[in-house]
């Protein structure tokens, strides 16, 4: 039973002797799928829909990926039927791979599910509507935000520290947790673990908030009754009654939970900038995390650098933005235009005309454009967040197959994005460095590796937004980070093609890009000649590249009282005199040559006259 990426279906299972599964007991009673498909799903997910053991122990939530490579979220509700008997109702939401996340599954409250409280009124054979994935995602995110406030409460600090220490000690085994360890809020505890470890350890966080018996399913289960000694554990690590391990994992867990509960997701951006978490051993991960959090223990999120992947390990020096005065003038010019309308206060001008290379921390937020369709503000903001979240999922894909599926989804949606969505998608892609990573291969120097074809990503996410000022600046800053002398392929070919398209007027690039890059930096990095026409600042004449002043002494010669000048390999040839200066130089050379020839002839004639 296959479900496409764009579809979400629901199935309700209950005890009914006439259910189409033909088992005269528990089976599917209503769904949005055809009958054969709902029976097929029930056979695939029977152990999740009706868990082993005491299935009527209480309400619970489960999230798992089926063997058919589909995502499944199940809520189990224990209801009283007409005969005053406890009856288990299991509502399943099924979608294609990667459409559901642990955050979505945990964030959906009972009232957020498609059937809501009306789950008990569904009859055998009813046709259920197909749920809306976008609406489910919105409700799940909102519910997760509310649940996150519970996760950050002091009542769950001890439980989070205990579980976090064990996951840091051994992140791979499946875990069995006693219900007493998570109290009355198992969803809040699990959400805290998902938030903290989605970046740190590999693998999907599948779970069940209540299981009466252990099995091979799920990464983490909560058990109200602890298994008897000697019972089969299915390779699970049982944490009931076991004290937290000591050492670096214990210290790192305490620091991590403290930071998460103090700042929420914003405090975890510090971890996202550190590369290579998944490749580390458990010991190295715990020690690195402890040292990192100790170093930034007093650093609040708004004082940290912008969240982004680390720059190239080769780029260790700092730069100053060339042409900062022009960029400042551009900002002042735009600000003055924005304040021409009545009743609008003029924004204060910057006190300094210099700009440092690293921009001030700022939230990714696109500017509103007149090209955006007229929609309500909440709806527009939600669409922008959805675009950013989709691009984030693309660069956080756990496998190549998942990445390709998400890339196809981005390509299908990019064509209908408005200008704000296009800009936020571009900014998010730059934030993740287009998936650029530096890896050592066979002990050699770090080599740039992209998770996807950078040319495809540029054409899909970057190219269409470069006419916007913020996108152009961020793209220039990223390129300045990624080279010291020259850019390397495959990024070099992408930027070279961009410059060529701009020269042919096939691409619109905001002038701020050239100001931040510097008039010479781009062509030097691409090993081209000096740039042609740099787009002028609005309201000013075209900028002319400065001429290099001839030195009073040649490089390499000793100057009296001074040291030998260092020899540098020039990335571009020295600038030659231009305009009328060339004519005077040529005329001087001709005249000098004529005078020398005449003098040589006169000397030869004088010598010949003196001979007998």
């Amino acid at each position: 039973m296959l479900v496409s990426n764009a579809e979400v279906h629901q199935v309700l299972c209950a005890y009914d002797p006439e259910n189409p599964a033909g088992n005269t007991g528990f089976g599917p009673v209503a769904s949005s799928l055809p009958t054969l498909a709902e029976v097929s799903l029930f056979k695939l997910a029977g152990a999740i829909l009706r868990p082993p053991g005491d299935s009527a122990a209480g309400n619970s939530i489960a999230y798992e990926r089926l063997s058919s490579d589909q995502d499944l979220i199940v809520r189990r509700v224990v209801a009283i039927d007409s005969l005053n008997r406890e009856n288990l109702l299991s509502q399943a939401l099924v979608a294609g791979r990667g459409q559901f996340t642990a955050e979505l599954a945990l964030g959906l409250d009972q009232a957020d599910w498609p059937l809501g409280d009306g789950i008990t009124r569904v009859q055998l054979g009813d046709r259920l509507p197909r749920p809306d994935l976008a609406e489910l995602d919105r409700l799940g995110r909102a519910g997760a935000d509310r649940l996150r406030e519970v996760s950050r409460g002091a009542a769950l600090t001890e439980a989070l520290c205990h579980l976090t220490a064990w996951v840091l000690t051994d992140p791979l085994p499946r875990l069995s947790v006693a219900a007493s360890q998570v109290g009355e809020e198992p969803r809040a505890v699990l959400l805290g673990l998902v938030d903290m470890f989605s970046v740190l350890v590999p693998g999907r966080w599948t779970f069940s908030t209540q299981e009466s018996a252990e099995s091979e399913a799920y990464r983490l289960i909560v058990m109200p009754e602890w298994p008897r000694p000697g019972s089969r554990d299915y390779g699970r690590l049982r944490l009931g009654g076991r004290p937290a391990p000591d050492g670096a994992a214990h210290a790192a867990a305490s620091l991590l939970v403290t930071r998460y509960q103090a700042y929420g997701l914003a405090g975890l951006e510090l971890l996202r900038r550190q590369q290579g978490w998944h490749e580390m051993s458990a010991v190295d991960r715990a020690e690195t995390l402890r040292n990192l959090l100790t170093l930034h223990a007093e650093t609040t999120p708004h004082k940290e650098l912008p969240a982004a992947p680390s720059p190239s390990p080769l780029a260790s020096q700092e730069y100053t933005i060339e042409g900062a005065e022009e960029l400042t003038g551009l900002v002042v010019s735009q600000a003055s235009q924005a304040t021409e309308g009545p009743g609008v206060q003029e924004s204060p001008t910057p006190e300094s005309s210099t700009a440092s290379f690293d921009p001030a921390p700022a939230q990714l937020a696109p500017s509103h454009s007149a090209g955006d369709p007229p929609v309500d503000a909440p709806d527009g903001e939600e669409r922008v967040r959805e675009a950013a979240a989709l691009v984030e999922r693309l660069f956080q894909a756990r496998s190549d197959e998942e990445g390709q599926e998400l890339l196809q989804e981005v390509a299908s949606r990019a064509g209908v994005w408005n200008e704000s969505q296009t800009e936020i998608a571009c900014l998010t892609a730059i934030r993740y460095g287009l998936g650029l990573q530096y890896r050592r291969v066979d002990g050699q120097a770090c080599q740039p590796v992209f998770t996807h074809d950078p040319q495809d990503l540029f054409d899909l996410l970057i190219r269409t937004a470069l006419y916007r000022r913020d996108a152009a600046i961020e793209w220039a800053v990223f390129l300045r980070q990624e080279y010291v002398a020259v850019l390397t392929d495959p990024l070099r070919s992408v930027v070279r093609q961009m410059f060529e398209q701009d020269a042919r007027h096939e691409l619109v690039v905001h002038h701020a890009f050239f100001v931040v890059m510097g008039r010479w930096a781009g062509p030097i990095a691409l090993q081209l000649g000096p740039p042609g026409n740099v787009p002028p600042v609005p309201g000013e004449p075209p900028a002319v590249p400065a001429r290099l002043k001839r030195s009073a002494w040649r490089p390499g010669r000793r100057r009296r009282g001074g040291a030998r000048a260092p020899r540098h390999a020039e990335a571009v040839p020295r600038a030659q005199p231009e305009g009328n200066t060339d004519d005077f130089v040529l005329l001087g050379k001709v005249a000098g040559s004529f005078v020398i020839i005449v003098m040589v002839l006169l000397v030869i004639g004088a010598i010949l006259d003196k001979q007998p």
Side-chain angles (χ1 to χ4, degrees), residues 37 45 51 58 111 131 155 185 236 249 279-280 301 379 381 414 420 448 483 502 566 577 606:
E185 300 291 344
R236 310 189 70 89
E279 289 75 24
M280 296 181 185
D379 189 22
E381 293 176 359
S420 296
Y483 75 86
D502 177 69

Side-chain angles (χ1 to χ4, degrees), residues 145 147-157 160 188 192 195 257 259-266:
D145 288 340
L147 191 63
R148 199 167 279 119
E149 296 302 317
V150 181
S151 304
R152 297 171 57 189
L156 299 183
T157 301
L160 285 174
D195 285 345
V257 172
R259 187 172 186 83
Y260 172 69
Q261 292 192 326
Y263 304 116
L265 292 178

Side-chain angles (χ1 to χ4, degrees), residues 3 28 44 66 68 96 121 151 168 179 202 205 217 222 237 245 265 267 384 419 448 470 527 538-539 592 601:
V3 176
L44 279 173
L66 300 176
S68 59
R121 295 190 292 271
S151 304
L168 286 174
W205 280 92
V222 179
L237 179 62
L265 292 178
V384 168
E419 294 184 3
D470 290 346
Q527 295 179 322
L601 293 176

Side-chain angles (χ1 to χ4, degrees), residues 311-312 315 319 357 430 433-434 436 438 450 458 462 466 471-488 490-496 498-499 509 513-514 516-517 521-522 525-526:
S312 162
Y319 301 90
F357 173 67
I430 296 173
L434 273 69
L436 175 62
Y438 282 82
F450 284 88
F458 175 83
I462 307 299
L466 287 180
I473 291 177
E474 291 298 326
W475 179 238
V477 169
F478 167 70
L479 295 180
R480 289 283 297 261
Q481 286 179 324
E482 292 305 324
Y483 75 86
V484 176
V486 295
L487 276 171
T488 56
L491 189 59
R492 176 180 178 272
S493 61
V494 173
V495 182
R496 184 185 183 109
M498 168 192 159
F499 270 74
V509 182
F513 172 85
F514 299 96
V516 176
M517 283 291 292
L526 298 172

Side-chain angles (χ1 to χ4, degrees), residues 104-386:
L104 170 64
L106 291 167
L108 288 175
D109 291 325
Q110 295 293 333
D112 295 332
W113 281 72
L115 296 178
D117 295 333
I119 187 174
T120 58
R121 295 190 292 271
V122 177
Q123 301 295 323
L124 178 66
D126 287 352
R127 301 305 303 169
L128 303 180
R130 280 178 46 189
D132 182 15
L133 179 59
E135 179 66 10
L136 283 176
D137 186 70
R138 184 186 70 82
L139 293 173
R141 289 178 181 273
D145 288 340
R146 295 190 300 268
L147 191 63
R148 199 167 279 119
E149 296 302 317
V150 181
S151 304
R152 297 171 57 189
L156 299 183
T157 301
E158 183 178 355
L160 285 174
C161 286
H162 184 267
L163 296 177
T164 300
W166 275 110
V167 175
L168 286 174
T169 301
D170 196 353
L172 297 181
R174 294 182 293 272
L175 305 177
S176 297
V177 180
S180 58
Q181 294 178 274
V182 297
E184 299 296 327
E185 300 291 344
R187 290 170 55 221
V189 174
L190 293 181
L191 180 61
L193 293 178
V194 170
D195 285 345
M196 291 185 288
F197 285 106
S198 293
V199 179
L200 294 176
V201 299
R204 292 175 296 106
W205 280 92
T206 59
F207 62 85
S208 173
T209 59
Q210 184 165 292
E211 291 289 306
S212 299
E214 291 175 308
S215 66
E216 295 181 352
Y218 312 113
R219 186 169 185 174
L220 188 149
I221 61 174
V222 179
M223 306 189 68
E225 296 183 6
W226 203 241
R228 297 178 179 178
S231 60
R232 183 181 177 186
D233 59 8
Y234 294 91
R236 310 189 70 89
L237 179 62
R238 296 173 174 175
L239 300 185
R242 301 183 64 174
D246 295 328
H250 186 277
S254 178
L255 291 169
L256 179 59
V257 172
T258 299
R259 187 172 186 83
Y260 172 69
Q261 292 192 326
Y263 304 116
L265 292 178
L268 302 180
E269 289 294 340
L270 178 68
L271 309 182
R272 298 183 184 276
R273 293 195 296 270
Q274 177 74 30
Q275 298 294 307
W277 289 113
H278 292 183
E279 289 75 24
M280 296 181 185
S281 65
V283 175
D284 291 342
R285 183 185 296 110
E287 292 179 350
T288 302
L289 181 61
R290 178 194 60 189
N291 297 338
L292 181 66
L293 294 178
T294 301
L295 179 63
H296 293 274
E298 302 298 328
T299 306
T300 56
H302 68 276
K303 293 181 181 179
E304 298 170 2
L305 294 175
S310 300
S312 162
L314 304 175
S316 58
Q317 56 182 329
E318 294 184 357
Y319 301 90
T320 301
I321 292 181
E322 191 176 325
E325 295 81 2
E326 298 180 21
L327 185 58
T328 304
L330 177 62
V331 175
V332 173
S333 173
Q334 291 179 345
S336 63
Q337 295 177 7
T339 55
E340 288 180 357
V344 181
Q345 279 193 335
E346 183 178 357
S347 58
T349 57
E351 297 180 358
S352 173
S353 63
T354 60
S356 61
F357 173 67
D358 290 324
Q363 297 290 332
L364 291 181
S367 54
H368 179 72
S369 171
D372 292 343
V375 295
D376 295 337
D379 189 22
E381 293 176 359
E382 181 62 29
R383 292 182 181 181
V384 168
R385 284 195 295 269
E386 289 176 358

Side-chain angles (χ1 to χ4, degrees), residues 20-49:
N23 55 14
T24 66
F26 188 85
V29 295
S31 76
S32 60
L33 290 166
T35 302
L36 292 179
E38 71 180 38
V39 172
S40 176
L41 175 64
F42 175 75
K43 292 179 179 179
L44 279 173
I48 302 173
L49 295 167

Side-chain angles (χ1 to χ4, degrees), residues 504-521:
R504 296 193 300 266
H505 304 289
E506 298 174 357
L507 177 66
V508 180
V509 182
H510 196 282
H511 174 78
F513 172 85
F514 299 96
V515 175
V516 176
M517 283 291 292
R519 296 187 182 92
W520 304 96

Side-chain angles (χ1 to χ4, degrees), residues 452-586:
H452 301 281
D453 184 353
Q455 186 64 59
D456 293 343
L457 294 176
F458 175 83
D459 293 337
L460 184 62
L461 298 172
I462 307 299
R463 188 181 192 277
T464 54
L466 287 180
Y467 72 96
R468 305 290 288 263
R469 176 181 176 276
D470 290 346
I473 291 177
E474 291 298 326
W475 179 238
V477 169
F478 167 70
L479 295 180
R480 289 283 297 261
Q481 286 179 324
E482 292 305 324
Y483 75 86
V484 176
V486 295
L487 276 171
T488 56
D489 284 323
L491 189 59
R492 176 180 178 272
S493 61
V494 173
V495 182
R496 184 185 183 109
Q497 182 175 343
M498 168 192 159
F499 270 74
E500 293 173 351
Q501 291 176 345
D502 177 69
R504 296 193 300 266
H505 304 289
E506 298 174 357
L507 177 66
V508 180
V509 182
H510 196 282
H511 174 78
F513 172 85
F514 299 96
V515 175
V516 176
M517 283 291 292
R519 296 187 182 92
W520 304 96
I524 289 175
L526 298 172
Q527 295 179 322
L528 303 175
N533 296 326
V534 178
V537 177
E540 296 185 10
V544 179
R547 295 172 181 158
L548 297 179
K549 210 171 185 179
R550 289 188 180 276
S551 176
W553 47 280
R554 294 181 181 178
R557 299 287 182 85
R558 286 190 178 276
R559 202 177 184 184
R560 290 185 179 180
R564 180 179 296 272
R567 296 178 180 268
H568 294 285
E570 295 182 341
V572 295
R574 289 180 174 275
Q576 301 296 330
E578 302 175 4
N580 294 332
T581 306
D582 294 340
D583 299 335
F584 285 116
V585 171
L586 180 60

